[in-house]
Amino acid sequence: MATRRAVLGALGGFCFTARAAAGRPLDRRARVAAIDWAAVESLLAIGVDPVAVANTGLYRQWAIEPVLPEIAVDLGLPEEPNLERLLGLRPDLILISSWQELLRPRLETIAPVRAFSVFDNNRTPLVNAVASMQSLGRVFGLEDAAAAFEKTLEATFAHNLGRLKSVETRPVLLAVLLGDGLRITVYGKGSLLGDVLDRLGVENAWKGVMPVFGRATIGIEQLLGLSNCTLLYMDQGNRTRAALQRLRSRSFWRALPFVAAGYARPIEAVWPFAGAPTAMRFSGIVTDALVQSSGHAG
């Protein structure tokens, strides 16, 4: 009886299609599995429907657009995808993120693997996300679709930038409230969400040194020096409501200048480690919140 390792090896060779081996573009109907969500939404944006995605249920909660087809198979956790299920799908290509490189040796026994990199090298996450989408366009011969999306992305940024020019905006603190009521996660330089603020001409209120991915979890006492800012915190449902309940019971929180002045407001949650489609959607979310906060109609 053939061992699982032998079967994996055999199918790995089978799935490396003649088209891919010859360096020609894959057909848009190729069977693509995406373990990384930034790759998923970028595939969908250029017209390629992945056959399998990590944690489809949670993906649909975070990444509303582009819509993931119901037929996409759930591969389980992004850090530990279901390899047997993936093997049975016989994909032509598997897309991962740079942080999932440890999975590559096992995944390459099933099909060719390509990394979709957003948080790499010295370029900003948004620049990387657009470049990675362009690269996907070349893989599938859909360069025009990738270029069309980039044009829409730039037009969206320009439109939202124009809307914000008509209102007075304060520096913005982007955050997620944590359930203990003592800490928050903030997004600054080096984050995809921070890049969106830059493109909108909005100052990021958090100036602290940021680790990888441009996010840091800090104690709420570190917010004391932020007076003239607007806090936009992502609404994660019950988790956020529980955090707010604890925070509002703390006099320190109530005394924060931007909280006391009414400049703390919820916004729709997005996946902060996503790609260009999420960046485009987030620009609208931020713009709507700031226009509403200013008392103007946008």
Side-chain angles (χ1 to χ4, degrees):
M1 180 177 295
T3 65
R4 183 173 182 272
R5 183 182 298 274
V7 173
L8 285 168
L11 278 180
F14 175 80
C15 290
F16 199 151
T17 65
R19 183 178 293 271
R24 298 195 300 273
L26 289 172
D27 189 281
R28 66 188 300 169
R29 293 166 296 183
R31 300 177 64 78
V32 185
I35 314 297
D36 172 60
W37 286 359
V40 174
E41 64 176 9
S42 298
L43 283 171
L44 293 169
I46 63 173
V48 177
D49 292 342
V51 297
V53 172
N55 204 335
T56 57
L58 196 58
Y59 174 86
R60 290 188 175 97
Q61 291 181 31
W62 285 96
I64 298 173
E65 298 173 352
V67 176
L68 178 66
E70 289 295 330
I71 61 172
V73 174
D74 190 343
L75 292 176
L77 298 175
E79 59 272 24
E80 193 176 351
N82 188 318
L83 296 183
E84 292 187 8
R85 186 173 298 168
L86 183 59
L87 173 63
L89 292 170
R90 297 168 70 170
D92 299 305
L93 179 67
I94 301 172
L95 295 174
I96 63 172
S97 177
S98 56
W99 68 267
Q100 296 166 317
E101 282 291 343
L102 290 177
L103 296 172
R104 182 184 286 271
R106 287 181 292 165
L107 295 175
E108 284 182 334
T109 64
I110 300 174
V113 175
R114 187 181 185 93
F116 188 96
S117 300
V118 174
F119 295 90
D120 279 344
N121 64 48
N122 294 322
R123 298 182 302 187
T124 67
L126 182 57
V127 170
N128 283 335
V130 172
S132 292
M133 180 182 284
Q134 292 170 340
S135 179
L136 277 185
R138 291 189 292 273
V139 169
F140 293 95
L142 295 171
E143 294 93 338
D144 289 348
F149 178 87
E150 185 177 0
K151 184 176 181 180
T152 301
L153 176 67
E154 293 299 326
T156 300
F157 282 140
H159 172 70
N160 288 329
L161 178 62
R163 291 178 63 199
L164 289 175
K165 284 182 177 179
S166 66
V167 302
E168 182 178 351
T169 59
R170 299 150 56 100
V172 167
L173 180 66
L174 296 174
V176 170
L177 308 180
L178 301 186
D180 59 11
L182 298 172
R183 302 168 300 147
I184 69 170
T185 296
V186 295
Y187 294 87
K189 185 177 178 60
S191 69
L192 181 71
L193 307 187
D195 284 354
V196 172
L197 288 188
D198 289 343
R199 291 301 305 271
L200 295 176
V202 175
E203 181 182 351
N204 195 317
W206 187 254
K207 308 297 184 184
V209 176
M210 305 301 288
V212 66
F213 303 128
R215 71 166 183 171
T217 297
I218 62 173
I220 59 173
E221 70 279 358
Q222 296 186 53
L223 303 177
L224 188 59
L226 302 179
S227 55
N228 182 37
C229 75
T230 295
L231 169 64
L232 298 181
Y233 58 89
M234 288 194 275
D235 187 351
Q236 298 180 343
N238 290 336
R239 176 181 176 182
T240 301
R241 284 189 286 273
L244 280 172
Q245 185 174 6
R246 290 185 174 92
L247 285 168
R248 287 168 178 163
S249 69
R250 301 183 186 281
S251 58
F252 184 89
W253 172 258
R254 299 194 303 270
L256 290 172
F258 54 86
V259 174
Y263 284 100
R265 58 186 304 130
I267 58 173
E268 183 180 346
V270 300
W271 180 243
F273 313 113
T278 287
M280 184 167 69
R281 185 163 66 93
F282 191 65
S283 75
I285 292 171
V286 169
T287 300
D288 288 345
L290 294 180
V291 168
Q292 293 166 11
S293 179
S294 71
H296 291 69

